[in-house]
Each structure stands twice: as structure tokens, then as C-alpha cells.
Amino acid sequence: MNQTIIVTGGAGFIGSNFVLEWVRQGLGHVINLDKLTYAGNLENLVEIQHHPQHTFVHGDIGNQALLAELLAKYQPTAVVNFAAESHVDRSIHGPEDFIQTNVVGTFHLLEAVRAYWNGLDQADKQAFRFLHVSTDEVYGSLGKNDPAFTETHKYEPNSPYSASKAASDHLVRAYHHTYGLPVLTTNCSNNYGPHHFPEKLIPLVIHNALAGKPLPIYGNGQQIRDWLYVEDHCAAIRCVLKTGKIGEVYNIGGWNEKQNIEVVRTLCRMLDAKKPREDGKSYADQITFVEDRLGHDQRYAIDATKIARELGWKPVETFETGIEKTVTWYLNNQDWVQNVTSGDYRHWVQKHYAERGEEMA
Ligand code: NAD
Ligand code: TYD
């Protein structure tokens, strides 16, 4: 398969891992459209900066004219939509950007893609795919003994972030049902790995631990997330793109349910072994329980049976192997961390955690 594809949000965490792998594997030309918000970082893409199979375009998925131009110029066989505002806590502080990009932006992207797709000849129309990358958070929160989310679980988003992603999923579904657009939707659990912005739990804890700062645990730390190594997510997306059935939804998960406190303690143990504190104490001493997140979802868990059974995808990494790779990556890439934690980042961390009574910046 050698394809020209448009990827949106390819300078962010998951998108950059996807784009890098696409180019490394020689799968074809990637046109990478990204607005470069605080979460977008061209440093993630230095390895392929001058690669002939990677074209970076600075722009917004809400800019239909730009999209029409790119689609006409590059004639992609697929569009993979990663672009989004993605952080729950930011959506609680300011939901507007989430509505703008995740809902209105996805709508404009769909409109541009629909116009392009309508103009293709029959064979190209049949081959084309629009893959929408979404989240398990659209399904809401599970009780302790509830079965994991399947693709038919009802939508019950609880945060402005998950509500905006749910809205985008519904638009994607409607464009298939109404216009026949050949869409695929993936709903994935929490990712972790290289290039993860240190506002999210795992990279935040690694960063704060090394900086001697508190490791903030919301509430009692017993909330559960299902963790998947980012490269496994990217492999699943490639698999769905290649063999997924048009109009279908695929849940992607790592079968790795962990309480937040357990994740943080694992990170502390790993750092204690790899980069011991100078005073000989454990990083776990930095754990601090802080005020809970508003409307905090208790538990997410993905039932990834369908994608395994129908498409043959399974994660390669266990939590233990994935977290080891992740910690090693952060220890080896402290320059990257320094660069992304300057400026705006400090402002965010100060504002967000000060409300919880923690001085962090
Ligand atoms: P991220 O915040 O790290 O990256 C988002 C990227 O999108 C950034 O590069 C940003 O500059 C870009 N972007 C934002 N608004 C844009 C716009 N209007 N036009 C063009 N580009 C724009 O996010 P991520 O963690 O890499 O998540 C990628 C996708 O995967 C999102 O759709 C998210 O909902 C979904 N997802 C994430 C996770 C996770 O654990 N991180 C899990 C499941 C699904
Ligand atoms: P996060 O990485 O923000 O992902 P999401 O909210 O999309 O699941 O948070 C993961 C879990 O960790 C979530 O239950 C909230 C919790 N959390 C903390 O306890 N402390 C923190 O400082 C952060 C950022 C998150």
C-alpha cells in the first residue's frame, strides 16, 4: 500500500507518532495539516523535516478553502483526522475552543472532504476513506463492575471535551448515512508514550518528579483508566484504514485498566531505579492529593474484541513494557521537555493547580 494521505493534527502527541511511523515504513506521502496550538510541536517531526514524503502545512481544519486546495492538489486516498483540543481539564476551564475545533472544525473538514469525494471517479470514490480518531470518553463513566465499553455502548459524554468529541462522531456518522461518505471511526482509550504533552497525567508526573515538584493526584486517586501505548494505537489506525469496513466503529484499547494512584506509584518506582533522587528518598514522597476534577469520570475500560476478531489487531506492548519505554524516552529527551514546558505551559500549570492549593510553576 503506497498512499498519499492527509493527516490533521500530525504535530501533536498521537498524530506525530502516526506520521513518523507512516514515513519510516515508506507507506506513502503524508500531507500534515496542523494549526500548531500549544499542543502542536514541530520538534516532534524533526526526523522527517526535510523528508520528501512529508509535507507540513500550517493551517486550521476549519479553513474549508485551504482544505479544498490541499485535497485538489494532492488527491489523497484518505484523510485521517487527529486534530482536536484534547485536554479534559482545559475543556473545564474554557470549553469554547473545544466546540470550535472539535465540532465546527470537524464539520468544515467533512464538508471539504465531501465536495472532493463527490468529484472523484467511481474507482477512486470507492477506494477513499475518511478516518475519524475519537475517544472512549464519549461513552461516559463506568461503575466498578460494569462491563467494558463496546461499540454499541450508549453515548453519555460528561465533560465539555468528551461532549465535543461525541458531537464530531455523530457528524461523521451522519455524513456516511446521509451522503455515503466512506467513513471509519475509532474510539480509543488513554494513550501514553513519546511526545505526550506534560499536562496529561503520565508525562506530568515524570516531569514533576524530576523537577522535585508535587505529584498531584485528583481526589482519592482511585479512578481507573485503560492505558494503551501510542504506537499500538497508531498500528490499530493503520489496520482500520486498510481493512476496516466502511461506516463501522472500532474500539481500541490496551486491556490495561489501572487506578491513577497505581500508575503514579509505578512511575515513581521506575524513576527511583533509573534516576534515583539525590537524597536517596523515593519520588513517591512527592505524591500529593489535591482537589478532585469537576465531574471526574470514575472509570473507562475498552472492550477491544471487535477489532481483534474482525481485523486481527492486538496491542504489542503490555503496560510494563510500554511504561518502561516511555520513562526511558522522557529521561533521554529532557531538551524536548524543557522546550515544551516554557512559556504558556507555566501559565497553565500555575493557574490550574493554584486552584487546588498547589504551587507548581
Ligand atoms: P494533542 O492535543 O496532543 O494534539 C492535537 C493536535 O491537533 C495538535 O498538534 C494541535 O496543534 C492540532 N490542532 C488543534 N486544533 C486544530 C485545528 N483547529 N486545526 C488543525 N490542527 C489543530 O492530542 P492527541 O493526544 O495527540 O490526540 C489526537 C486525537 O486523538 C484527538 O482527536 C483526541 O481526541 C484523540 N484521542 C486521544 C487520546 C489520548 O489519550 N491522548 C485517546 C483517544 C483519542
Ligand atoms: P489525563 O491524563 O488528563 O487524561 P483523561 O482525563 O483524558 O483520562 O488524566 C488521567 C487521569 O489522571 C484522570 O483520571 C485524571 C487524573 N489526573 C490526576 O490525578 N492528576 C493530574 O494532575 C492530572 C493531569 C490527571
Side-chain angles (χ1 to χ4, degrees):
M1 178 171 69
N2 193 301
Q3 293 187 264
T4 295
I5 62 170
I6 292 184
V7 165
T8 71
F13 165 44
I14 306 173
S16 64
N17 279 284
F18 182 85
V19 167
L20 284 168
E21 207 47 47
W22 191 271
V23 174
R24 282 180 193 139
Q25 291 189 19
L27 298 178
H29 185 188
V30 189
I31 293 84
N32 182 355
L33 174 70
D34 196 295
K35 190 178 170 182
L36 296 180
T37 66
Y38 78 94
N41 183 359
L42 286 177
E43 217 182 313
N44 293 342
L45 300 163
V46 274
E47 181 191 322
I48 53 168
Q49 202 176 2
H50 304 298
H51 200 291
Q53 295 291 73
H54 177 238
T55 304
F56 182 78
V57 180
H58 185 196
D60 192 320
I61 56 165
N63 183 344
Q64 232 171 282
L66 172 64
L67 286 161
E69 194 186 310
L70 295 175
L71 288 159
K73 181 171 175 189
Y74 294 105
Q75 299 281 306
T77 53
V79 171
V80 183
N81 183 30
F82 290 95
E85 288 294 335
S86 70
H87 186 30
V88 174
D89 291 318
R90 284 187 190 251
S91 83
I92 295 168
H93 283 278
E96 187 153 358
D97 287 349
F98 289 73
I99 304 305
Q100 211 49 52
T101 283
N102 301 2
V103 187
V104 181
T106 304
F107 160 70
H108 285 300
L109 177 62
L110 282 165
E111 277 294 89
V113 170
R114 178 166 78 93
Y116 164 72
W117 180 73
N118 273 329
L120 294 175
D121 65 30
Q122 213 43 42
D124 289 342
K125 253 181 145 169
Q126 265 178 14
F128 184 82
R129 297 288 182 272
F130 179 89
L131 192 152
H132 181 60
V133 180
S134 192
T135 165
D136 59 0
E137 303 193 24
V138 297
Y139 299 124
S141 182
L142 290 169
K144 202 169 149 208
N145 298 315
D146 290 341
F149 301 127
T150 64
E151 289 78 359
T152 54
H153 198 282
K154 72 175 172 200
Y155 270 43
E156 233 169 19
N158 288 322
S159 71
Y161 163 65
S162 54
S164 67
K165 290 296 290 187
S168 68
D169 292 8
H170 290 321
L171 281 172
V172 170
R173 181 190 147 85
Y175 271 63
H176 173 63
H177 190 80
T178 307
Y179 305 113
L181 194 71
V183 307
L184 297 157
T185 300
T186 56
N187 293 87
C188 188
S189 59
N190 284 58
N191 284 215
Y192 65 99
H195 302 164
H196 205 183
F197 195 76
E199 65 185 352
K200 308 276 172 71
L201 181 70
I202 289 180
L204 181 98
V205 164
I206 300 172
H207 174 61
N208 280 16
L210 296 174
K213 293 178 182 169
L215 311 182
I217 311 276
Y218 298 164
N220 61 12
Q222 284 168 21
Q223 298 81 13
I224 292 170
R225 298 293 182 263
D226 175 358
W227 295 96
L228 180 69
Y229 190 62
V230 63
E231 286 181 10
D232 275 326
H233 185 191
C234 294
I237 291 171
R238 290 194 298 275
C239 173
V240 173
L241 195 55
K242 198 170 166 187
T243 56
K245 203 168 142 223
I246 288 172
E248 291 287 313
V249 173
Y250 296 93
N251 280 359
I252 304 171
W255 304 101
N256 274 312
E257 284 186 58
K258 306 267 177 222
Q259 286 191 346
N260 293 338
I261 187 69
E262 200 184 335
V263 170
V264 174
R265 289 200 191 283
T266 302
L267 289 169
C268 291
R269 267 198 309 278
M270 213 157 254
L271 288 168
D272 286 341
K274 287 180 184 289
K275 199 167 174 35
R277 264 172 52 159
E278 279 174 14
D279 62 7
K281 291 185 177 163
S282 170
Y283 289 102
D285 289 359
Q286 290 164 233
I287 290 175
T288 311
F289 290 87
V290 299
E291 195 181 313
D292 209 351
R293 172 186 279 174
L294 292 177
H296 200 168
D297 282 341
Q298 177 58 33
R299 175 176 165 237
Y300 303 141
I302 279 278
D303 181 339
T305 306
K306 178 179 172 182
I307 188 171
R309 189 185 58 234
E310 294 184 10
L311 310 185
W313 174 86
K314 281 202 179 90
V316 171
E317 303 294 342
T318 62
F319 188 70
E320 290 64 33
T321 59
I323 206 76
E324 156 86 40
K325 284 187 180 180
T326 304
V327 170
T328 304
W329 188 86
Y330 279 90
L331 288 173
N332 291 339
N333 288 275
Q334 283 294 299
D335 287 353
W336 181 93
V337 177
Q338 291 308 328
N339 291 342
V340 300
T341 53
S342 58
D344 266 2
Y345 175 83
R346 283 174 197 278
H347 181 66
W348 158 256
V349 165
Q350 205 158 24
K351 178 173 125 198
H352 179 61
Y353 292 95
E355 281 174 11
R356 292 169 163 72
E358 285 302 322
E359 266 307 318
M360 211 72 87

